Amino acid sequence: MTVFDDGIALETTADGSMRGRTVPEWANMVGPFGGITAAVLVHAVERQPDVHGLPLAVTVNYLAPIVDGEFDIRARAVRTNRTNQHWIVELSQGGETRTTATAVFGIRRDTWTDTEYPRPQVPSPTELPESDGGPTWMRNYDMRYVAGGLPDPDDGPAASSETLLWVRDNPLRPVDFPSLAAVCDIFYPRVFLRRAQLTPAGTVSITVYFHAAPADLAAQGAEYLLARARGQQFAAGHFDQTAQIWGAGGALLATSHQIVYFKG
Amino acid sequence: MTVFDDGIALETTADGSMRGRTVPEWANMVGPFGGITAAVLVHAVERQPDVHGLPLAVTVNYLAPIVDGEFDIRARAVRTNRTNQHWIVELSQGGETRTTATAVFGIRRDTWTDTEYPRPQVPSPTELPESDGGPTWMRNYDMRYVAGGLPDPDDGPAASSETLLWVRDNPLRPVDFPSLAAVCDIFYPRVFLRRAQLTPAGTVSITVYFHAAPADLAAQGAEYLLARARGQQFAAGHFDQTAQIWGAGGALLATSHQIVYFKG
């Protein structure tokens, strides 16, 4: 059991919903790291007795900060088809919804396969220093920035919001669907790079597409993932970001997108 | 009133839900074009009496084909904050849910703005031929492919799944949030290009981020949009696609992503 397992731990309550709780090690600036919330929502669906297939797509919407303590998750299977299943999920505290999600689970079949967005050629993680600094939750990852590390105010504004880093769980833990969801949210807000200042910012909605099959996850084990994110449009208090997560074998295990609120 | 307005027309029923109907001009291979379904869901939230702000993010999940005839849409505001509002939406026929969505509406504020993913330099639409062919709904658009047009089996497999086209409504209609959502789904399945064959394929889930403010839409009017899509990973019966929609002024009006089921 690692700190990640603590973060996604759930028990089933008498009324059939799931109960989890915040863990201090996952603290962000306000409330827990959004990635651990995405992970616990994926895990809540995985644990449903009538689940059909494996995670294919999840969208998580952050309605209000989760406060320290217990939370309840209700997952409803809206439709089960032959090859997939659609879920609506709500996380609440004191009867008040804090996070919503939709999830698609599906059956994977053998088909033609291709990684059209290849993994960039970069130095190996052992050639790069381990990052420190940042909010509490970052201690739960071994992060080695190739480009676009946490900006120093002396750096000045960057022309590109791209960040590229090697990342794995700390302590080591084999990658699974919940941990892959969390890694999709590993990137500090892109606006920090472009503005060279830490303005208030937070994810409004994130979507993760899971491309990994169980055999891909088994082959990955606890090895480093290469994670990339870049903003596309910054306007009127929001920006979007597109992200790719490559595995040790060079295939994309997940792709992700999010829209983020920012000030200034 | 254009064919697009017909496709998103809604009336409020006695129980407070909304009722719409399929329009033959929007027919796709199976059921209506997914883009018109995304558009009518955005429009259903826009029409709610307690709506707060303008569309910021929408995720639409296609659970089952919509059959010809009427459909009902129920939209529930899960939370209203000072600057945004979160919705869960379900479209049903005969009491059976066919489509689900989450939507975030928000207040736009004046902030620092930048288009980090600039509009590619391409020939103007008037220098390019108007595309024909494809399913019925494509007649509702004036589409001029710059690259990655509908493949001919004689072309052989393409190395890239990128498509780049100019597009505007046919007949002309000023761009609004629902029509921008529809254009995000304008791209035929990327696997057709890579495999040089029309295999069965369909969108499972699409997300649209709206970057346009009302002033951007007013400036755009009914001018051509430049639309780009490219697949990232093809594996185990699904691929994802990332898409950008630039306006006449060169800013990104919307960005989008989807995950698509395919055979073979």
Side-chain angles (χ1 to χ4, degrees):
Chain A
M1 287 283 290
T2 71
V3 68
F4 186 85
D5 295 296
D6 290 342
I8 66 164
L10 290 169
E11 63 220 36
T12 306
T13 61
D15 69 353
S17 70
M18 303 253 165
R19 178 159 296 161
R21 57 197 54 74
T22 60
V23 173
E25 290 84 350
W26 286 103
N28 203 352
M29 312 297 261
V30 179
F33 168 50
I36 198 71
T37 303
V40 75
L41 292 169
V42 169
H43 188 51
V45 178
E46 281 182 333
R47 278 196 45 162
Q48 299 296 314
D50 56 340
V51 70
H52 178 58
L54 295 168
L56 189 62
V58 62
T59 294
V60 178
N61 304 293
Y62 301 93
L63 280 59
I66 294 169
V67 298
D68 289 347
E70 293 188 331
F71 51 80
D72 293 306
I73 300 178
R74 287 187 174 275
R76 173 165 66 97
V78 181
R79 188 180 179 102
T80 302
N81 293 313
R82 196 173 51 79
T83 61
N84 67 24
Q85 188 174 49
H86 288 263
W87 294 85
I88 292 178
V89 191
E90 295 189 48
L91 183 154
S92 63
Q93 288 184 307
E96 197 181 317
T97 303
R98 307 288 173 127
T99 321
T100 62
T102 60
V104 189
F105 275 50
I107 305 294
R108 287 179 165 76
R109 295 168 300 105
D110 279 341
T111 58
W112 176 74
T113 292
D114 187 68
T115 301
E116 186 164 326
Y117 196 141
R119 191 174 69 188
Q121 295 296 321
V122 298
S124 71
T126 53
E127 296 174 64
L128 297 162
E130 190 174 342
S131 171
D132 53 20
T136 305
W137 66 265
M138 285 196 176
R139 301 288 75 72
N140 304 331
Y141 291 100
D142 168 359
M143 300 199 279
R144 293 159 190 259
Y145 287 98
V146 178
L150 276 166
D152 187 295
D154 298 340
D155 294 341
S160 163
S161 69
E162 183 174 11
T163 279
L164 191 58
L165 77 155
W166 291 105
V167 58
R168 61 181 185 181
D169 280 27
N170 174 33
L172 292 184
R173 180 181 178 280
V175 173
D176 56 13
F177 291 106
S179 72
L180 202 48
V183 165
C184 287
D185 195 34
I186 201 83
F187 314 94
Y188 63 82
R190 308 292 81 207
V191 70
F192 292 2
L193 265 175
R194 295 297 312 279
R195 304 289 279 162
Q197 59 187 35
L198 309 188
T199 53
T203 303
V204 175
S205 182
I206 184 172
T207 293
V208 175
Y209 298 145
F210 300 95
H211 303 293
D216 302 317
L217 296 179
Q220 175 68 26
E223 289 300 307
Y224 285 97
L225 299 158
L226 186 67
R228 175 194 178 270
R230 187 166 184 179
Q232 301 188 111
Q233 176 77 18
F234 299 77
H238 297 89
F239 70 87
D240 72 325
Q241 137 187 335
T242 175
Q244 295 82 22
I245 312 293
W246 290 272
L252 279 165
L253 301 185
T255 49
S256 180
H257 318 92
Q258 62 175 270
I259 188 154
V260 182
Y261 154 92
F262 74 96
K263 269 202 170 153
Chain B
M1 289 284 289
T2 71
V3 67
F4 186 85
D5 296 295
D6 291 341
I8 65 164
L10 289 169
E11 63 220 37
T12 306
T13 62
D15 70 353
S17 69
M18 302 252 166
R19 179 158 297 160
R21 57 198 54 74
T22 60
V23 173
E25 290 85 349
W26 286 102
N28 203 351
M29 312 298 263
V30 179
F33 167 51
I36 198 71
T37 303
V40 75
L41 292 169
V42 170
H43 189 50
V45 178
E46 281 183 333
R47 279 196 44 162
Q48 298 297 314
D50 56 340
V51 69
H52 179 57
L54 295 169
L56 189 60
V58 63
T59 293
V60 178
N61 305 293
Y62 300 92
L63 281 59
I66 294 169
V67 297
D68 289 347
E70 294 188 329
F71 52 79
D72 292 307
I73 301 178
R74 287 185 174 277
R76 173 165 66 97
V78 181
R79 189 180 178 102
T80 302
N81 293 312
R82 196 174 49 80
T83 61
N84 67 24
Q85 187 175 48
H86 289 263
W87 294 85
I88 292 178
V89 191
E90 295 189 49
L91 182 154
S92 63
Q93 289 183 305
E96 197 181 318
T97 303
R98 307 286 174 128
T99 322
T100 62
T102 61
V104 189
F105 275 52
I107 305 293
R108 288 179 165 75
R109 295 167 300 105
D110 280 342
T111 59
W112 176 73
T113 293
D114 188 66
T115 301
E116 187 165 326
Y117 196 142
R119 191 174 68 188
Q121 296 296 319
V122 298
S124 70
T126 51
E127 296 174 63
L128 297 161
E130 190 173 343
S131 171
D132 52 22
T136 305
W137 66 266
M138 286 196 175
R139 303 287 75 73
N140 304 329
Y141 291 101
D142 168 359
M143 300 199 280
R144 293 158 190 260
Y145 286 99
V146 178
L150 276 166
D152 187 295
D154 298 339
D155 294 342
S160 162
S161 69
E162 184 174 10
T163 280
L164 192 58
L165 77 155
W166 289 107
V167 57
R168 61 181 184 181
D169 280 25
N170 173 32
L172 291 183
R173 181 180 177 281
V175 173
D176 56 13
F177 291 106
S179 72
L180 202 48
V183 165
C184 287
D185 195 34
I186 201 84
F187 313 95
Y188 63 83
R190 308 293 80 208
V191 71
F192 292 2
L193 265 175
R194 294 299 310 279
R195 303 289 279 161
Q197 58 188 34
L198 308 188
T199 53
T203 303
V204 174
S205 182
I206 184 172
T207 293
V208 175
Y209 298 145
F210 299 95
H211 304 293
D216 302 317
L217 296 179
Q220 175 68 25
E223 288 300 308
Y224 285 97
L225 299 158
L226 186 67
R228 176 195 177 268
R230 188 167 183 178
Q232 300 187 112
Q233 175 78 17
F234 299 76
H238 297 89
F239 71 87
D240 72 325
Q241 138 188 333
T242 175
Q244 295 82 24
I245 312 293
W246 290 272
L252 279 164
L253 300 185
T255 49
S256 180
H257 319 91
Q258 62 175 271
I259 189 154
V260 181
Y261 153 92
F262 74 94
K263 268 204 170 151

